[in-house]
Amino acid sequence: MTATPAPISPAPSDGDFLRLDQQICFSLHAASRAFGGVYRVILKDLGLTYPQYLVMLVLWEHGELPVKRLGEHLRLDSGTLSPLLKRLEAAGLVLRERSTRDERSVQVRLTEEGSALRERAVSVPRRIAAATGADLEEIRELRDRLDRLTAALDRAARSETPGPA
């Protein structure tokens, strides 16, 4: 008995590429929003929003940093970062102080309470991984692919030639 060959799908037309379900940017956007919903639930116990959690991750990893460096790690400008830092400072998790060496620079550091919060946050990555339904190797591979995609898009944006027209 011979198998019936699968029907060959016609090549997509240029118009098909303009469908929403064909846009990688929309798939990434939808995944990001879905992650945001899961993080919202998980981070509620810590009293953090997702952007605040990202700030805390950088400070837990790197310690005291100038606002500018913190923004570089997070890919955020100071206009976006400053309100986040104000809320974290009001919550008693970080302190912001002008640098004694350079008055233009503001240093951000964790308070004791901010450092202690790290212990309560240890389970967050595991809970997020469980929510994805993927194993740790799949998550690492996806993260690596997304990092390569980000680097390629950064290069394309710098060169102002994103690809063939």
Side-chain angles (χ1 to χ4, degrees):
M1 183 169 164
T2 58
T4 306
I8 298 173
S9 299
S13 69
D14 284 346
D16 289 339
F17 289 118
L18 292 177
R19 291 175 39 145
L20 183 62
D21 64 357
Q22 295 297 309
Q23 306 305 306
I24 188 173
C25 57
F26 184 73
S27 294
L28 288 168
H29 172 73
S32 178
R33 290 187 53 87
F35 265 113
V38 173
Y39 271 105
R40 193 171 9 268
V41 171
I42 292 173
L43 295 175
K44 186 176 183 181
D45 294 340
L46 299 178
L48 295 174
T49 64
Y50 176 69
Q52 291 169 342
Y53 174 69
L54 295 179
V55 169
M56 297 301 288
L57 287 174
V58 173
L59 293 173
W60 289 328
E61 182 178 350
H62 296 282
E64 182 173 330
L65 286 173
V67 170
K68 182 177 181 171
R69 287 284 317 274
L70 185 58
E72 289 168 357
H73 283 287
L74 296 170
R75 301 174 66 107
L76 294 174
D77 60 41
S78 62
T80 303
L81 191 53
S82 290
L84 284 171
L85 294 173
K86 283 181 185 179
R87 286 191 291 278
L88 287 170
E89 189 171 36
L93 300 174
V94 303
L95 287 174
R96 295 178 301 154
E97 298 172 333
R98 290 235 172 256
S99 170
T100 56
R101 289 186 300 247
D102 181 356
E103 284 285 316
R104 298 169 295 175
S105 179
V106 175
Q107 296 287 117
V108 182
R109 66 181 168 87
L110 294 165
T111 63
E112 283 185 36
E113 188 179 343
S115 293
L117 186 61
R118 186 179 189 281
E119 291 307 312
R120 292 181 43 216
V122 168
S123 68
V124 172
R126 204 171 28 257
R127 291 175 69 189
I128 293 296
T132 69
D135 66 41
L136 291 179
E137 186 56 33
E138 289 173 311
I139 291 171
R140 277 190 204 98
E141 289 172 8
L142 177 58
R143 187 197 59 233
D144 290 347
R145 290 188 73 169
L146 290 171
D147 288 347
R148 289 192 305 272
L149 175 63
T150 300
L153 293 171
D154 284 345
R155 284 190 301 275
R158 281 193 301 274
S159 71
E160 297 183 352
T161 53

